[in-house]
Amino acid sequence: MNAIDKISTTARYERTIETSKRVRWDVERDVIRGRRFDTTHKFLPDGLSLVDAFTTLSSSEKRFVSQIQGRTYANMFGLVERFINAKVLELSHDHWLGDQVALEALVRFSDEELKHQALFRRIDAMIDDVLPGGYRFDIDPNGVAGAVLGKSTWAVLGLTLHIELFTQLHYRQSIDPDPELSELFKDVFLYHWREESQHAILDELEWVRVDAGLTAEQRDKAVDELIDLVAAVDGILQTQTKADATYFAAVCGRAVGGGEVPMIETAFLKAYRWQYIHSGLQQPQFRKVLFNLITDEQGQRIQAALATLQ
Ligand SMILES: [Fe+2]
Ligand SMILES: [Fe+2]
């Protein structure tokens, strides 16, 4: 790294600290503000819940689907932030006795992810107060974190940057513009997005830093591990699809015919793959960073793997 690159990298770490201090919020005082969820509103916008794919449902049933998916959306963030935070703490080790600006930026990142996990637990409990009982999200965050952290740091950072960029994309493109959305749900993701913007910058800085220390062979193996991680995410989505479709059929208030259940499951899976896999991989910033680090052949390998998840 030359002197100019070094300065601009430090300046980028520094800027995330300044912004993190400026936008910092408190779960109860700023986000919840004594409010409750109102089930006359949607939680997730149509652009994410893809409710039009649920062709057999009435409009109130589609609203209920948006609420189930919204709850799962909060739980999925709570899940991934467990491994993201552990990886950030591990990466901070590289800066302990080095760049103290980078160290402070990562410490703030970690602190924010702990707060976000608490926020998402709170949201899950608040939604539980207003929706019918029986919802399940049985995926163990520590089990997932153990499996993810078994992969190389390069692969974990690739997945993490993808997630932290799609949080912003979802908020700006779908959540913010939807006038029918729950104001409380909107605020949760507005405040979350404000802190995630810094995380995505740090992911990129750390990913490029870690990448510079790899051999071509190590990077090639890491590309396969990133593909494995995306497949693991898909496994989680398939599990939660079953849980959410079963919950919907059990509590929607009418008999759901045997032939309708697979259609509802297909629609849930389509929405979840869009939310957690495909929307983020189309994000221009993610593609720019990823394709700068890998060869054309590695890019094609990733695209071929993604094509199987339609
Ligand atoms: Fe977060
Ligand atoms: Fe984050």
Side-chain angles (χ1 to χ4, degrees):
M1 192 184 286
N2 65 37
I4 291 171
D5 284 347
K6 175 90 183 72
I7 291 164
S8 67
T9 300
T10 299
R12 291 188 75 195
Y13 280 106
E14 207 154 50
R15 265 204 305 274
T16 69
I17 296 172
E18 286 161 14
T19 314
S20 156
K21 286 178 178 168
R22 194 174 66 246
V23 303
R24 185 161 182 86
W25 44 264
D26 176 78
V27 170
E28 298 299 329
R29 190 189 61 227
D30 301 309
V31 185
I32 312 280
R33 305 203 300 269
R35 293 177 289 177
R36 283 171 60 86
F37 281 107
D38 175 354
T39 53
T40 62
H41 291 118
K42 291 188 289 188
F43 291 176
L44 268 196
D46 301 354
L48 292 175
S49 64
L50 306 185
V51 277
D52 290 342
F54 292 78
T55 51
T56 61
L57 306 192
S58 67
S59 56
S60 64
E61 287 172 341
K62 285 180 178 174
R63 186 173 64 231
F64 182 39
V65 161
S66 86
Q67 293 162 352
I68 299 171
Q69 288 196 22
R71 186 172 184 178
T72 290
Y73 194 74
N75 283 325
M76 281 292 289
F77 278 104
L79 178 83
V80 298
E81 292 187 348
R82 187 66 54 87
F83 76 73
I84 291 173
N85 184 45
K87 180 52 77 179
V88 167
L89 286 172
E90 186 193 303
L91 284 164
S92 78
H93 185 245
D94 294 348
H95 303 288
W96 279 4
L97 305 179
D99 185 341
Q100 299 297 289
V101 174
L103 179 61
E104 183 181 348
L106 293 182
V107 167
R108 297 189 75 89
F109 182 161
S110 164
D111 176 56
E112 286 160 3
E113 290 301 33
L114 289 167
K115 179 178 69 179
H116 298 177
Q117 288 175 65
L119 168 67
F120 294 126
R121 285 193 294 272
R122 178 88 165 92
I123 294 306
D124 181 60
M126 288 176 69
I127 297 178
D128 194 58
D129 288 341
V130 296
L131 288 188
Y135 172 88
R136 311 280 302 251
F137 187 88
D138 293 333
I139 304 150
D140 169 33
N142 292 329
V144 170
V148 170
L149 297 171
K151 304 290 185 190
S152 64
T153 294
W154 191 96
V156 178
L157 280 172
L159 182 68
T160 304
L161 176 64
H162 163 248
I163 292 168
E164 304 206 299
L165 283 172
F166 79 55
T167 338
Q168 301 173 45
L169 178 83
H170 290 177
Y171 184 77
R172 284 197 317 268
Q173 282 192 354
S174 305
I175 297 175
D176 181 46
D178 193 326
E180 292 171 36
L181 232 53
S182 149
E183 285 299 320
L184 175 55
F185 199 86
K186 235 183 204 189
D187 274 349
V188 169
F189 287 93
L190 167 65
Y191 283 93
H192 188 237
W193 162 69
R194 284 181 179 160
E195 291 185 341
E196 287 302 314
S197 302
Q198 285 67 258
H199 299 181
I201 294 166
L202 294 169
D203 294 333
E204 182 185 327
L205 288 166
E206 289 293 304
W207 198 14
V208 170
R209 182 182 68 80
V210 166
D211 179 82
L214 295 191
T215 63
E217 206 176 315
Q218 287 169 326
R219 186 176 305 102
D220 195 61
K221 184 166 176 281
V223 167
D224 285 336
E225 288 180 328
L226 178 57
I227 292 170
D228 292 346
L229 287 174
V230 175
V233 169
D234 195 62
I236 291 169
L237 301 182
Q238 295 195 34
T239 301
Q240 194 56 29
T241 286
K242 289 263 179 224
D244 287 352
T246 303
Y247 170 63
F248 173 84
V251 302
C252 72
R254 66 170 170 92
V256 176
E260 196 182 345
V261 173
M263 291 169 75
I264 293 171
E265 283 183 3
T266 301
F268 266 108
L269 186 59
K270 184 179 176 197
Y272 289 160
R273 282 176 164 169
W274 169 244
Q275 287 162 33
Y276 304 104
I277 297 176
H278 299 299
S279 62
L281 292 166
Q282 290 175 10
Q283 222 268 2
Q285 181 63 14
F286 179 73
R287 297 180 74 82
K288 188 178 137 205
V289 181
L290 173 67
F291 290 115
N292 263 332
L293 300 181
I294 61 176
T295 64
D296 289 349
E297 185 281 319
Q298 288 162 342
Q300 283 156 14
R301 215 187 301 160
I302 294 171
Q303 302 286 9
L306 290 173
T308 66
L309 306 177
Q310 294 294 345

